[in-house]
């Protein structure tokens, strides 16, 4: 006999030993059972005995109706359960394995991540220093990690400049998520004004760059080669951030 079969036999023996003793309910008692069943089933949360008693006919034995109903559901896929003086239906514990499912829980990006993503989208390829210069605050490693993990941002290469800083750009997954065919479909300043995102009182000289897919308009870069992404990013951070 397999371990699974032995476990099934043990559960069956436990069920038989703990099965409540049932008496055949009268017609009136069955009506009271059905009323309780309907009330508990329709309740959005565990239903209290006082609430059920108010809805049963005068003289009805609520305790007996619930006991009979609990016995009725014993051994089924759904059981009647009591917590304190509240009752509710719950899936049988031994069937939990069959109902388990994995669900991806979406996480909302932080404001810092959204700002960084927007800067990369409009200014790509751009370096960490350029992102910090536009935002006016330091860029944490965690913020960039989140964007890299979503697959919306990638490491493009190294800028041919002193220090050879890493540059960042968006991916096809970014376009797919935001419903864009190409990066130039991002809204420009006129589009943002038309959408009511600016009230017209803009600083003198304020503008929104127009993204362009043409590689000739982007600064020259060097490929990262075989350098791991984590190492490439860490080398682009000051010691205090790279150690996090």
């Amino acid at each position: 006999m397999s371990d699974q079969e032995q476990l099934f036999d043990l559960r069956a023996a436990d069920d038989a030993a703990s099965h409540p003793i049932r008496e055949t309910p009268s017609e009136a008692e069955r009506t009271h059972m059905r009323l309780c069943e309907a009330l508990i089933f329709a309740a959005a949360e565990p239903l209290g005995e006082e609430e059920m008693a108010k809805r049963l006919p005068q003289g009805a034995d609520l305790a007996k109706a619930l006991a009979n109903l609990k016995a009725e559901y014993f051994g089924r896929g759904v059981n009647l359960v009591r917590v304190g003086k509240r009752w509710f239906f719950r899936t049988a514990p031994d069937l939990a394995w069959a109902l388990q499912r994995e669900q991806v829980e979406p996480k909302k990006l932080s404001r810092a991540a959204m700002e960084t993503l927007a800067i990369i989208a409009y200014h790509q390829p751009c370096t960490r220093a350029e992102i910090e210069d536009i935002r006016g605050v330091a860029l944490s490693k965690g913020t960039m990690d989140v964007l890299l993990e979503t697959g919306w941002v990638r490491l493009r290469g190294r800028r041919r400049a002193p220090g050879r800083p890493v540059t960042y750009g968006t991916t096809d997954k970014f376009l797919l998520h935001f419903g864009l065919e190409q990066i130039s479909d991002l809204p420009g300043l006129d589009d943002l004004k038309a959408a009511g995102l600016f009230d017209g009182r803009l600083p003198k000289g304020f503008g929104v760059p127009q993204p362009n897919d043409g590689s000739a308009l982007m600064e020259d870069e060097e490929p990262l080669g075989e350098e791991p992404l984590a190492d490439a990013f860490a080398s682009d951070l000051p010691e205090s951030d790279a150690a996090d």
Side-chain angles (χ1 to χ4, degrees), residues 205-219:
F206 181 87
V208 174
Q210 182 60 48
N212 196 298
D213 293 299
S215 58
L217 300 179
M218 298 183 179
E219 296 186 35

Side-chain angles (χ1 to χ4, degrees), residues 43-58:
E45 55 186 19
L47 190 61
E49 294 178 357
E50 292 184 3
E51 183 64 24
M52 282 187 280
K54 294 178 183 178
R55 298 176 179 269
L56 289 179
Q58 187 174 4

Side-chain angles (χ1 to χ4, degrees), residues 123-134:
H123 295 267
Q124 60 184 309
C126 57
T127 66
R128 169 180 167 270
E130 290 168 343
I131 295 171
E132 292 178 339
D133 184 58
I134 294 172

Side-chain angles (χ1 to χ4, degrees), residues 158-180:
R158 290 191 178 275
R159 179 73 48 79
R160 290 182 179 176
R164 298 175 59 249
V166 173
T167 60
Y168 303 93
T170 55
T171 65
D172 289 342
K173 191 174 181 180
F174 167 83
L175 298 176
L176 181 64
H177 181 84
F178 289 96
L180 304 171

Side-chain angles (χ1 to χ4, degrees), residues 109-110 112-113 116 128 135 138-150 233 237 240-242 244:
L109 288 181
S110 66
T116 302
R128 169 180 167 270
R135 289 191 64 223
L139 175 63
S140 70
K141 180 179 181 293
T143 297
M144 189 59 73
D145 282 344
V146 169
L147 295 177
L148 291 170
E149 288 172 3
T150 62
F233 184 76
L237 290 173
S240 59
D241 289 342
D244 290 342

Side-chain angles (χ1 to χ4, degrees), residues 4 7-16 18 73-81 90-100:
Q4 187 174 4
L7 179 61
F8 180 81
D9 288 343
L10 287 174
R11 285 177 175 172
D14 289 342
D15 288 347
S18 58
Y73 275 90
F74 184 85
R76 295 190 182 182
V78 176
N79 299 150
L80 181 61
V81 179
R90 184 175 66 184
T91 305
D94 61 313
L95 299 181
W97 62 270
L99 301 177
Q100 291 179 349

